[in-house]
Amino acid sequence: MAVLPSDEPSNDSCDNDGLQIRTGTLKTGIAHIITAVIGSGVLSLAWSVAQLGWIAGPLSMFCFAVVTYVSSFLLSDCYRYPDPVTGARHHSYMDAVKTYLGRKQTWICGLLQIVNLYGVGVAYVITTSTSMRAIQRSDCFHKEGHRVPCAYGDSFYMLLFGAIQIGFSQIPNFHNMEILSILAAVMSFSYSSIGFALGFAKVIGNGRVKGSISGVHTSTTPQKIWKVTQALGDIAFAYPYSIILIEIQDTIKSPPPENQTMKKASMIAILITTFFYLCCGCFGYAAFGDQTPGNLLTGFGFYEPYWLIDFANACIILHLVGGYQVFCQPVFAVVERWFTEKFPNNGFVNNFYTFKCPILPVLRINLLRLCFRTCYVISTTGIAMVFPYFNQILGVLGALNFWPLTVYFPVEMYFIQKKIQPWTRRWIVFQSFSIVCLIVSLVTLVGSIEGLICAKLG
């Protein structure tokens, strides 16, 4: 999660850019990366490994880890311009794109980022409602037995989550949600650890490792291909953190140079994350084989201990309550800043109204913020109700943003930073790398969209 400078830093706590003095280290950089990467995407990795099989599944996660590290390596050198050690700093991914590639590509980058952030909000609505329903089903299974249907709908829980987020969306900005972000990070580690532990315990209980080299068997070859491409999209969603890498690097103090520290932090964090992902994905597949659920903690491969299942899903809910805001606040900031600059004298846009309620702190309401943010939450909730498909949504989001944000922009900025001329050996290597990733991204996007359409029609 990006750590942004405070709104009004005091003079004795400012650096030469007028921003808060950076205190980040290698350890904090690693912590920020792991916190940003490990999220709800980890819950779909067992299903992804099941579609790909025992060889292609782990190998795919390793390949995406390598791509993510290469991307982070390139971006780390683009933090400063023109010199990667002494040049001017960038404070966000879009700032870097604007400096290196110009305004037109900045608009494209911004559009892709907003689509990605909006899509993650939709995915979080789906995931949270599924976890709410899973708690109710877990208690039902415990009382009535595993053969009872215990079927419940998602719509009520989506509406409930949307209502909660309408309230939380009135939090002014990132600077006012530190506690919510810390809670979200702790919950993320908690439910991911529980998923890994339950999978490991079930493998021990089964006394054997399930699954096969080719993965889940399907009735036709095209159906297998669609499932494989969707699985690749899910893995693509779980790994990259390019959107916030510059923001994380901007918290790291110097000396040593920030790019050196960030490269070390990325390598260590990706190794830890990959190990964790392999454990969750492989042990989940080993426990369930062809019956591996799309979401490891809500698909009910695990029934007991029911209280641990409930606790894990409660952790998911608490994580995503804060996680939703982490991914929505940047969109809120961009839109509201645009309206403020466009209509500087408009009362609807700029006026704040103070309300004092008993017990509660003083509330400052802005009509633009109230209306826009409420409509934003309602729209993500509405789309989630129309397309309540966890794995398919993650696949589309991962495929849509993997190549442009994780590969294309970092590679193009690196060419300018290092003054790499066309048709040199390094240029050919990185362009080949970019083209391969583009092909993978397009294939996974087509497969994920096909899966989403089939899920809707079926």
Side-chain angles (χ1 to χ4, degrees), residues 130-149:
T130 304
S131 293
M132 290 179 177
R133 183 185 62 178
I135 292 175
Q136 191 173 9
R137 293 186 68 197
S138 175
D139 294 341
C140 175
F141 285 136
H142 179 70
K143 294 177 181 178
E144 306 296 336
H146 301 168
R147 296 184 181 276
V148 178

Side-chain angles (χ1 to χ4, degrees), residues 40-188:
S40 62
V42 71
L43 301 175
S44 69
L45 292 179
W47 182 88
S48 298
V49 174
Q51 308 309 312
L52 296 164
W54 275 121
I55 294 178
L59 183 61
S60 296
M61 278 195 268
F62 176 76
C63 290
F64 276 100
V66 171
V67 171
T68 302
Y69 177 70
V70 171
S71 171
S72 66
F73 182 93
L74 302 180
L75 276 176
S76 298
D77 284 338
C78 297
Y79 171 64
R80 288 182 178 270
Y81 180 82
D83 186 86
V85 177
T86 60
R89 290 160 50 195
H90 297 108
H91 307 299
S92 70
Y93 189 98
M94 284 186 65
D95 285 346
V97 173
K98 184 176 181 180
T99 298
Y100 286 98
L101 303 178
R103 182 175 296 274
K104 183 180 293 186
Q105 299 220 41
T106 304
W107 278 100
I108 297 173
C109 175
L111 177 62
L112 288 171
Q113 282 188 298
I114 290 175
V115 169
N116 180 61
L117 295 171
Y118 185 87
V120 171
V122 174
Y124 278 15
V125 174
I126 297 169
T127 310
T128 307
S129 65
T130 304
S131 293
M132 290 179 177
R133 183 185 62 178
I135 292 175
Q136 191 173 9
R137 293 186 68 197
S138 175
D139 294 341
C140 175
F141 285 136
H142 179 70
K143 294 177 181 178
E144 306 296 336
H146 301 168
R147 296 184 181 276
V148 178
C150 293
Y152 303 97
D154 288 320
S155 297
F156 171 77
Y157 298 111
M158 290 183 183
L159 292 173
L160 177 61
F161 181 73
I164 293 171
Q165 290 302 335
I166 287 175
F168 277 115
S169 67
Q170 299 309 311
I171 295 174
N173 51 47
F174 272 118
H175 310 294
N176 303 95
M177 54 181 297
E178 180 179 355
I179 296 177
L180 199 60
S181 295
I182 293 173
L183 177 64
V186 173
M187 294 300 102
S188 175

